[in-house]
Amino acid sequence: MCSRRNWLGKINVVAAALLLIAGGLVTSTNSGMAVPDWPLSYGQWLPAMTGGVFFEHGHRMIATLVGFLILVMAIWTQVEEMRAGVRRLAWWTLFFVSLQGLLGGITVFYNLPFQVSAAHATLGQSVFCLLVIMAECVGANFHEESAVPSGKLRALGVFAVAALLGQLIVGAVMRHGGSGLWPHLLGAAIAAPAAGVFAASVLLRREIGLNKPALAILAMLACQLALGLATADFRALPHPRTNVAMIATATAHLAFGALLLGSTVLLTFRLFRVPRT
C-alpha cells in the first residue's frame, strides 16, 4: 500500500471537513447570495474579501482545493491501485464532488431555492463519507484482521447510518428555510438513540479496531446534542444570523453532525469488510 496515498486520503478527509465548516458559515451568516455570479466572483478570481464575500468566495476557494485533491486521488488510484472496487470508488467520489460543485452554481443562478441548497449540503456530507471510506481503503492498517461481527451488529450500523442520513436531510432543509424545527427534533429522537445503541453495542465487543470509532461516536453524539439545544435557544433571539455566538454554535452543530455521520459510516464499513465464516 502506498504510504503517500495513505496521507493524501487523510488530507482529503480533513480538507472536506473544513469545506463543510466553510459551507456552514455561508448559511449561518446568510452569505449565500453575497456573490451574484458563478464560478467567478464579480467576474474575478479573487474579489475583495469583505463582508459576506469573505464567506462565500472563501467557501468556493476551499471547494476548488478539495476538488483538485480528489482529482489527484482519483488519477493516482487508477495508476497504483490493484483493487477494482477502490478504483471505482475514487471515480465515484470525483463524480459526486463535481456534481456538488454544479449544484452550488445552480443555487446562485436560481437565488437559493431550498430544494437545491439542501441537496447541495446533503451531497457535501455524502462526499465527506465517501472520502472517509477511501481513506480507510488506502490506509496502512486496512488488512488487519478482526473478529467476525454478528448480523445484528451490522444491521444496527446500517440503521444508524440511515437514521443519521435522514436527520442530515431534514436538518439541511430546515437550515435553508424549507421547514420548521419540529421535523428536525423528531429526526434527532430517532437518530441519536440509533447511533448511541450502535456504538455501545460495538464497545461491548472490546475490540481495538472497533473501539476508537465507537468511542468517537458517543463523544460526538454528546457534543451534537448539546450544540443542537444551544442552537435551538439561539434561534429565538432577534437577528440570529448576525449573532456571533449563534453563527459559531450552528456551524459547530453542522460540523459535529458530519463527524458523527462519518464515524458511523467508518465503523459500519469496518464491520462489513470482515467476511462471515
Side-chain angles (χ1 to χ4, degrees), residues 136-218:
E136 174 76 358
C137 289
V138 301
N141 300 322
F142 183 75
H143 296 289
E144 287 186 357
E145 294 293 331
S146 58
V148 179
S150 68
K152 179 180 179 181
L153 205 56
R154 287 174 168 173
L156 284 174
V158 170
F159 181 75
V161 170
L164 289 171
L165 279 173
Q167 174 68 344
L168 162 64
I169 295 170
V170 172
V173 171
M174 182 195 70
R175 276 177 61 83
H176 293 281
S179 73
L181 181 61
W182 281 108
H184 190 56
L185 294 177
L186 179 60
I190 299 172
V197 170
F198 173 50
S201 299
V202 171
L203 282 176
L204 291 176
R205 295 174 60 86
R206 299 172 182 256
E207 190 172 341
I208 295 176
L210 303 178
N211 279 349
K212 288 183 179 180
L215 286 171
I217 289 171
L218 292 177

Side-chain angles (χ1 to χ4, degrees), residues 10 12-21 121 124-133 160-161 164-165 168 195 198-199 212-224 227 250-268:
K10 295 176 180 178
N12 281 350
V13 171
V14 173
L18 293 176
L19 178 58
L20 290 174
I21 293 172
Q125 295 211 24
S126 300
V127 170
F128 175 72
C129 292
L130 290 175
L131 289 172
V132 168
I133 295 174
V161 170
L164 289 171
L165 279 173
L168 162 64
F198 173 50
K212 288 183 179 180
L215 286 171
I217 289 171
L218 292 177
M220 292 173 191
L221 181 59
C223 292
Q224 180 71 345
L227 288 167
T251 305
H253 183 55
L254 180 146
F256 272 94
L259 294 174
L260 174 61
L261 175 61
S263 298
T264 308
V265 167
L266 173 61
L267 184 53
T268 304

Side-chain angles (χ1 to χ4, degrees), residues 84-107:
V86 179
R87 294 199 302 271
R88 288 194 296 270
L89 174 63
W91 282 134
W92 277 114
T93 306
L94 179 61
F95 169 76
F96 283 120
V97 78
S98 301
L99 180 59
Q100 186 197 5
L102 181 61
L103 287 175
I106 292 174
T107 62

Side-chain angles (χ1 to χ4, degrees), residues 26 29 31 33-36 41-42 46-61:
V26 171
T29 58
S31 301
M33 289 304 296
V35 177
S41 298
Y42 291 100
L46 187 60
M49 302 291 280
T50 57
V53 177
F54 173 80
F55 296 105
E56 173 62 10
H57 189 71
H59 173 242
R60 293 184 185 186
M61 293 173 68

